[in-house]
């Protein structure tokens, strides 16, 4: 049975890594369940809750506060969104961050669908792009709420750790900021190095790997495969060591990363092609 949809405020998964100082996990492997079909936005709607629960249990065993699910979003669905994004809607909006983000003062490769209260980081969100992605954004809300509930189950009894729930006992979440980023090999545009999202002031975030652009140029010219990319996390603890584990994910279209508050991570550099990602910062109502 498909999970009940969590309430959201309109305002606005993975193989076992090798235990080593640096872990690389491929997220391109298909799920074990061969009964999955791809009729809509979620690749396996009847299995997604099970995948989240299993993934979080594995993550907690390693004291990790993030999860990457391969192809949680249907790559075929994303292929229907991308042509208009890359040929018409995407318009980079240069913004300047106080103190910089990952040592970059001016960020020039993202287009903002939704911005924080007060117009942060810009005052002119791209409403047409937001409308174009509205179904995907609502699906991301549902996935994030489901992951957050599982990740924070029985974690903390402090009043500050409690969150408001809907009638199905899912946390009520709202998007604080949403943007699409296009990485390219140019300096300061090829990566977003080690950082925490929202300077640690958001409750969590979600990243969707978008398809390689096959609409403005050939796949061969725009592909970054074999030339970097993916995500790196510094999270959990290595056995016998008092330092986070470094975990690499070779992400591809449809892979979804769920990231808890103040977890260090980075979008790895590319040296060829373009790499696209959708990023959402979340608030959890308390």
């Amino acid at each position: 049975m498909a999970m009940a949809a969590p309430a959201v405020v309109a305002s606005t998964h993975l193989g076992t890594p090798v235990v080593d100082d640096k872990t690389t996990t491929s997220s391109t492997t298909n799920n074990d369940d061969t009964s999955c079909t791809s009729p809509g936005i979620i690749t396996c709607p009847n299995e997604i809750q099970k995948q989240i629960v299993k993934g979080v249990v594995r993550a907690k065993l390693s004291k990790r506060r993030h999860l990457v699910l391969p192809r949680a979003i249907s790559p075929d669905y994303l292929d229907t969104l991308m042509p208009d994004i890359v040929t018409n809607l995407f318009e980079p909006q240069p913004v300047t961050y106080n103190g910089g983000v990952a040592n970059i003062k001016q960020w020039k490769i993202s287009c903002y669908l939704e911005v924080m209260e007060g117009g942060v980081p810009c005052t002119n969100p791209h409403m047409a792009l937001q409308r174009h992605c509205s179904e995907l954004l609502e699906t991301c809300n549902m996935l994030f709420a489901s992951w957050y509930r599982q990740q924070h189950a029985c974690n903390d009894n402090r009043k500050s750790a409690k969150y408001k729930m809907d009638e199905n006992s899912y946390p009520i979440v709202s998007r604080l900021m949403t943007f699409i980023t296009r990485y390219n090999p140019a300096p300061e545009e090829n990566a977003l190095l080690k950082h925490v999202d929202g300077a640690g002031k958001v409750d969590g975030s979600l990243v969707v790997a978008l398809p390689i652009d096959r609409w403005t140029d050939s796949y061969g010219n725009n592909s970054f495969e074999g030339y970097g990319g993916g995500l790196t996390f510094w999270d959990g603890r290595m056995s016998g060591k008092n330092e986070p584990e470094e975990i690499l994910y070779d992400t591809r279209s449809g892979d979804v990363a769920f990231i808890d508050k103040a977890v260090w991570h980075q979008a790895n550099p590319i040296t060829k092609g373009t790499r696209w990602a959708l990023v959402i910062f979340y608030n959890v109502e308390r």
Side-chain angles (χ1 to χ4, degrees):
M1 181 179 295
M3 65 180 182
V8 295
V9 176
S11 60
T12 39
H13 287 299
L14 92 167
T16 304
V18 177
V19 178
D20 198 348
D21 289 341
K22 181 179 290 188
T23 299
T24 302
T25 298
S26 172
S27 59
T28 58
T29 305
N30 290 330
N31 295 305
D32 293 336
D33 185 352
T34 57
S35 66
C36 293
T37 57
S38 303
I41 301 177
I42 296 177
T43 301
C44 305
N46 295 327
E47 294 295 321
I48 191 68
Q49 179 63 27
K50 186 185 301 182
Q51 292 167 7
I52 289 173
V53 170
K54 184 184 296 185
V56 170
V57 168
R58 289 176 177 172
K60 285 186 172 182
L61 288 174
S62 299
K63 302 187 183 302
R64 296 177 189 162
R65 296 188 300 116
H66 77 277
L67 175 65
V68 178
L69 288 184
R71 297 194 177 189
I73 301 295
S74 166
D76 290 340
Y77 170 79
L78 293 176
D79 279 351
T80 68
L81 289 183
M82 283 298 285
D84 278 347
I85 293 174
V86 301
T87 63
N88 181 38
L89 293 171
F90 182 80
E91 297 174 346
Q93 297 162 291
V95 297
T96 300
Y97 289 95
N98 292 330
V101 54
N103 296 319
I104 299 176
K105 294 273 186 190
Q106 188 175 58
W107 187 247
K108 300 182 290 185
I109 58 173
S110 294
C111 183
Y112 295 86
L113 290 67
E114 296 163 324
V115 299
M116 293 184 177
E117 188 175 351
V120 177
C122 66
T123 58
N124 55 333
H126 197 305
M127 302 307 297
L129 185 53
Q130 181 197 97
R131 289 191 296 270
H132 182 69
C133 297
S134 60
E135 289 184 339
L136 175 59
L137 299 182
E138 292 304 306
T139 299
C140 289
N141 289 350
M142 179 185 68
L143 292 174
F144 182 84
S146 179
W147 167 80
Y148 193 91
R149 180 178 74 165
Q150 188 66 29
Q151 179 67 35
H152 289 265
C154 305
N155 270 11
D156 199 332
N157 291 320
R158 294 175 303 170
K159 185 177 180 180
S160 62
K162 300 296 183 182
Y163 51 78
K164 293 182 180 179
M165 295 182 288
D166 65 12
E167 65 274 13
N168 296 309
S169 299
Y170 286 95
I172 299 174
V173 305
S174 58
R175 299 187 301 272
L176 292 174
M177 186 163 73
T178 305
F179 53 97
I180 290 176
T181 298
R182 178 185 60 194
Y183 297 99
N184 67 78
E188 298 192 345
E189 299 183 6
N190 64 344
L192 183 55
L193 298 180
K194 192 174 182 180
H195 66 284
V196 295
D197 286 336
K201 297 177 182 178
V202 301
D203 289 314
S205 52
L206 179 149
V207 180
V208 180
L210 298 178
I212 291 172
D213 175 11
R214 309 187 303 277
W215 298 274
T216 64
D217 204 342
S218 69
Y219 180 90
N221 286 340
N222 277 339
S223 175
F224 63 87
E225 292 181 350
Y227 295 88
L231 299 172
T232 297
F233 287 84
W234 290 266
D235 192 16
R237 284 291 181 268
M238 290 292 297
S239 178
K241 297 184 178 181
N242 189 28
E243 60 185 32
E245 185 178 6
E246 183 175 311
I247 310 147
L248 282 67
Y249 297 94
D250 185 21
T251 53
R252 291 294 182 267
S253 179
D255 295 356
V256 176
F258 303 91
I259 308 170
D260 209 356
K261 182 175 183 175
V263 173
W264 289 95
H265 62 285
Q266 77 176 22
N268 298 327
I270 61 171
T271 58
K272 174 188 174 295
T274 56
R275 175 172 171 256
W276 295 76
L278 168 71
V279 182
I280 305 174
F281 292 175
Y282 279 101
N283 174 71
V284 179
E285 289 198 17
R286 288 178 166 79

